[in-house]
Amino acid sequence: MRYAETGFNLEVDLSRGNIERVETDPALTALHLGGLGTSIKLLWDRVPPETDPFSPDNLLIFSSGLLCGTPAPGCNRTIVTTISPQTQLTAYSMMGGFWAPELKYAGYDKVILRGKSPELVYLWINNDKVEIRDASHLRGKGSNETAEILRRELKEPNAQVAAIGLAGENRVYFASIEQGRSSASRGGIGAVMGDKGVKAIVVRGTKDINVARPVDYMALCSEVLQYIKNRESKPIPGVMPILAGLGSPQEMRLIDEEWHTTNFMWGNSRTRRKDFWTKEIEEKWRETQESARTRLISCYNCPMKCAATISIPGISTYMMKCFSKLTYTMAAYSDLDFGFKIAQRATEYGVDGFTAPQVMAFALELKEAGILKDQDMEGIPSDSDGKFYWLLDRIVRREGIGDVLANGTYWAAKQIGNGAEEYAHNNIKKQEQLPLKLGMLNPVYFLMYSTGEKINITQIEGQFPQSPFLTKEETEEFIRDWIHVPDDKFKEYLRKWEFRGEFSNPNYPDIEASCDIVDWQEMMHYIDDAVGMCAGLSSFPLKPPYHIHNYPALISSATGIDMDEAGLKKITKRNRTLLRAVNVSRGMRRADEKPPEDHWKKRFPELEAKLLDAYYKFKGWDDQGIPTKDSLKELDLDYVADDFEKRGITGNGQS
Amino acid sequence: MGKVKRKVKVIKIDVDKCNGCRACEVICSAFHATPKFSSNNPARARIQLIHDALKDVYLPVYAGENAPAECMGRGKYVIDGKEYDECSFCRASCPSRGVFKEPDSGLPLKCDMCESDPPLPEPMCVQWCLNAALTYEEREEEAEEEVKLDEMEIGLESLASKYGLQKVTDAIARMSKKE
């Protein structure tokens, strides 16, 4: 018997309309766990670097995590892996919600889509019965609308639906896959789904998920739950409210947005408004939020409440998660009421709440600079809010200028030319980033921004504080119950770190400490992404319930695989290196590994070069960021080394 | 017959506090697995979250008695402007819907308040509901003392209800003569 996992994948060939239930190799679980780990293995094996994202040969893999569907609190993530049309590299966007556990209960770990359907279809997975069905009646429908229609049509109120909206159908490079409560938004994975002609995947499952050592596993899960309860009653003092608790930042619960609105950048990630947050604004936003929010809600088997149901008279109800509350508002220099309203439309269309507002603000900047002309925006309303609605409508339909903007700021700027490139200033590896600009370079963040395969800072940072504490006492208080550190040296790093002087940014954390810290953050994310754990209970917040010391026992008691910390570290390193190998084989090199030029005002090119050199070396990569032959062999990735050699990607600085 | 104290177990449900996570379903099905906690499957849970997210309907319901037939008349509730489905509040496993049935056999499921030896302080679903949508109460009630029938008497009673007491008595009399 297979434990925790089902041991079966669904292979769907959309070109031929073929569906197969395929047993997976348990040896791969031992090597890669599951989730992103085993998905990236599939991508390496089956999607060679020549494959265009919109080729039928590109795979779109919907995966549960290894522990999804077991009683581990908060373990509910769906990991979607494919080649991104925007970055041309791996996209592995994730969503919480209820879809992945349902897939496990239906008897599958992954759904692997290949080929292209000639007509728009949806997939109906009902335990052993799996069908490709006509979706022509769903063309142009919103993501929530689609889910509602399908549940009614199939008479399955408990079915879980992952759907694309108009943006995905029209292959917008920042189209998302929506699941009502959650969405997988980054990297344009919705565009790949649309390209494959799949409107939705509907799942219903009523089978068991088994665990290997039930009593041990339940004891650990109960401990986690108890820890969450205690941790939530004791927010961490001395850090901003959104970092004090667990979960994703509690945007739906908190009203106080002083930190975001006065520190983040408005418009096309341009203008800081230090005086924005006033008593009047706070009152107004409180009123808007409290009247719009009907309920705080969670994902599957999780006591947190990171999302909310938003009901505004006159528009359809939808569910919102953390930060999209602010991105539209800030891009448009508008207010929260506008933010909630346009987010509803954006959710139905299915676009990424990070990228979409920045693309629209970018377009308006280009217009103001005279690079885009009046005729490009003929008919655009004169008010700011109206302009955003107008642009959004055109982008998702790829109409006029919308067709150019639908490729994101990097590709749009290239196509528009005439100096437009300067305005696409907030990208890493062609993907829009958080609208945040800071003063002094932080070496840890420099490395995460530069080298993170996720290309999205909020998905790779986490358990180490973002800045030092103000006093020694606060630092000691924080360290007192900091059981999560893999090694006591991290406590010393924090103790030494100061706001000013020798031990402050950019020189401290020093190069060695920075490598260690980044490595730790990364490791935790790669574990989460393999087991399907929500980062909000693990790699993302300070002092989370899951950490490197309890994960081995959890994984081992659930799966029956022997696991200790060293073994788990090796697996995450293997997964992380294989993911890098996919990107390297697609041409990613050192020159691509940099934060936006203006991310920090104060930059230190020499130090930055040293940081990258040291980090590459630390990871077993050469000076181009290519994993070396030796480090590949150490991780049982000999086949990658062989392939690199065949392709002339030699590592050891010779590429 | 005298009065006796009887323990009544109550799970209170505050629907406004429910965050929709379905941890109650997860842990219920795990607790009732054999061996205990060896598997879980919300479709087997004896508590179901009846929900419709966009209508803000979140209603945890416990499995009660099995009803062998469908109801002819049903009630539709509107509470705080929200219309609930006709069967939403019903605790029965019955032919008109799929909930509270073993997914494999179709046999009815019923909440047993996690009766176990040694007894739990609270049913598992309550323990796992950190948002306190589910809370547990025990109270004592006075009730008429019931005479507990032993197995043979139960059998005789059902025979009597089927054939009439006279027939049973006659049969016993005949049998005792033969001996």
Side-chain angles (χ1 to χ4, degrees), chain A residues 328-345:
Chain A
Y328 293 97
T329 301
M330 293 181 73
Y333 290 86
S334 192
D335 64 13
L336 190 56
D337 183 57
F338 162 76
F340 277 142
K341 283 179 178 159
I342 196 168
Q344 186 271 338
R345 198 180 291 187

Side-chain angles (χ1 to χ4, degrees), chain B:
Chain B
M1 255 178 276
K3 298 264 183 194
V4 289
K5 302 259 185 208
R6 192 173 62 181
K7 197 191 269 180
V8 178
K9 299 172 174 180
V10 178
I11 293 173
K12 272 173 86 172
I13 302 162
D14 184 342
V15 296
D16 290 334
K17 287 186 179 157
C18 178
N19 69 344
C21 76
R22 297 169 58 199
C24 49
E25 297 179 12
V26 176
I27 198 62
C28 174
S29 63
F31 181 81
H32 289 96
T34 321
K36 205 177 267 185
F37 302 124
S38 62
S39 70
N40 92 96
N41 176 359
R44 288 188 202 284
R46 294 130 194 249
I47 175 170
Q48 293 285 329
L49 179 68
I50 309 289
H51 62 287
D52 185 340
L54 295 181
K55 289 188 189 137
D56 195 41
V57 169
Y58 288 87
L59 194 63
V61 178
Y62 287 89
E65 293 296 328
N66 174 47
E70 290 187 60
C71 318
M72 290 308 287
R74 292 180 196 171
K76 204 157 201 169
Y77 290 85
V78 180
I79 303 170
D80 285 340
K82 277 185 277 186
E83 193 178 279
Y84 289 83
D85 203 59
E86 288 165 17
C87 299
S88 292
F89 290 92
C90 182
R91 298 182 56 197
S93 74
C94 91
S96 56
R97 61 175 182 180
V99 295
F100 303 138
K101 283 173 192 157
E102 279 282 353
D104 306 327
S105 61
L107 289 172
L109 294 163
K110 186 180 166 189
C111 168
D112 61 358
M113 293 274 176
C114 293
E115 289 255 324
S116 59
D117 187 21
L120 302 180
E122 290 178 330
M124 290 303 285
C125 55
V126 174
Q127 293 185 37
W128 273 54
C129 184
L130 296 196
N131 288 296
L134 308 176
T135 46
Y136 181 66
E137 272 181 14
E138 269 178 15
R139 64 163 190 270
E140 288 204 325
E141 256 177 18
E142 280 208 335
E144 293 290 332
E145 191 179 8
E146 279 178 54
V147 180
K148 271 229 160 161
L149 302 176
D150 64 22
E151 242 173 66
M152 184 194 66
E153 279 176 300
I154 292 172
L156 278 177
E157 212 169 58
S158 57
L159 285 174
S161 83
K162 186 164 182 184
Y163 299 104
L165 189 58
Q166 193 54 53
K167 267 193 168 172
V168 176
T169 331
D170 291 352
I172 290 172
R174 267 201 311 277
M175 284 159 74
S176 49
K177 266 183 199 161
K178 273 181 200 164
E179 273 177 13

Side-chain angles (χ1 to χ4, degrees), chain A residues 26 31 77 94 96 120-121 163 213 235 249-250 253 294 378 519 521 560 569 614:
Chain A
L31 280 170
R77 282 215 160 171
M94 291 174 267
L120 193 65
V121 294
R213 297 201 304 274
Q250 300 293 305
R253 185 162 52 82
T294 22
E378 219 181 307
D519 188 57
Q521 315 303 301
K569 282 177 184 170

